[in-house]
Amino acid sequence: MEGRVSVKELVEAEEKPPHTCHNNITDASQKNDDILGSTILSLSLNNQQVQAHRIEEQPAAQLGLMRDKLEEMKRENQNLRAMLSQITQHYAALHNRLLMAMQQRPQQQSPLKSHNLQEDNEGDEEEEAALPIRHFLDIHEPSASESNKSEGLIPHRNSITCTKPACEANSNNNAKNIESDQANPCRKVRVSIRTRSDLSLIGDGCQWRKYGQKIAKGNPCPRAYYRCNLGTACPVRKQVQRCAKDKSVVITSYEGKHNHAVPAAAAPVAAATSAALNMFLSGSTTSAQGSTQSNSGLLSCAFASLSTSSSCPTITLDLTQPSNQHMQFQMSASSSHSSHPFPFALDGYDSSLSAKNMSLVDVISAALVKDPSFKAALAASISSFSGATSLQR
DNA sequence: CGTCTTTGACCGGCGC
DNA sequence: GCGCCGGTCAAAGACG
């Protein structure tokens, strides 16, 4: 049924600006209207044919079937319209917040002033609501030493966070970093995908250029560094390393968001990572106003326990769990002891897929197609994750 | 010859 | 201040 909005379309829509998303759903709604029209037309044509040929058997049953289909499509149309209005509302709210943030930004040009301002305004909800970007920059507290060493994951450094008095002396350097990171805030969150594969590099549809390799401490397997080779100066980077504990497990970590159109083959992975980043960002802004939906208590607790050794937030999609035929979805802060499985399981996901050396695209596509709630759960968990991070402040 | 990979050097952050 | 470590750079080599 070409008028229906597929999971892939929704995922792609997530990456696009709200107005594009709006247009997509409007288009889909229009498509459904068209289909409704053509169905009614074919229904009447069928009726004419039925009358013309005087077919006595089955017309009633056939008519009833088509009426059912019509009703189903009407319901779907209503759902789409509801989604459309919801997205319109969300877009308006986000747009307002963006405008507020833009208005406030000129006041924080001096980083030292900004830092002091942050301290001075603790508890001032109105002020915090107006500074979503700084919220995002401040919530990440890297800890280089306590990283996810057992899994071969490394913390992402954040030169912005300034918690030590000595750090204030370097506020000029931090100013540069703040500027650069505001220009590229997407590198704050890492999306890590664990898959079981014999291949050294799992295809994900994108074109990568290797720019380095290191043997990290605590893991004899080398870690390879890749940079996205599509588009000009694409900020997306990826790290590939085998798990120290289980060498059949490949950990692929993505950082950043593509600044160009990704090939269709890479869309599922790009969408998963991009959606994670987008929702982390939007969740962060939402949490600034204290209205984050904290619908994942376990997850919030998991992150809340990280307050002492928090580091680069990592969203882990574990596609290696063969035991329960579920896809494990967890979020961590690059700290093995503090990462807890997220209580979401994707029913029907065949974990044997990953054992067949499928590409990440295949695995994630399968996951997204088999259960659309996967994406919804991803969104919800990220929202609560970012909500929890702001609560730590 | 152009592109990609390899690999040692370098840089910056962090802990002691 | 020093050493460790993760991340990045860039020259050299490999490959088609």
Side-chain angles (χ1 to χ4, degrees), chain A residues 311-327:
Chain A
S311 55
C312 169
T314 301
I315 300 152
T316 302
L317 301 176
D318 192 346
L319 309 179
T320 64
Q321 305 295 322
S323 58
N324 53 4
Q325 296 291 303
H326 287 338
M327 181 163 68

Side-chain angles (χ1 to χ4, degrees), chain A residues 335-349:
Chain A
S335 176
S336 58
H337 65 276
S338 57
S339 74
H340 300 266
F342 179 62
F344 166 76
L346 183 61
D347 290 320
Y349 167 70

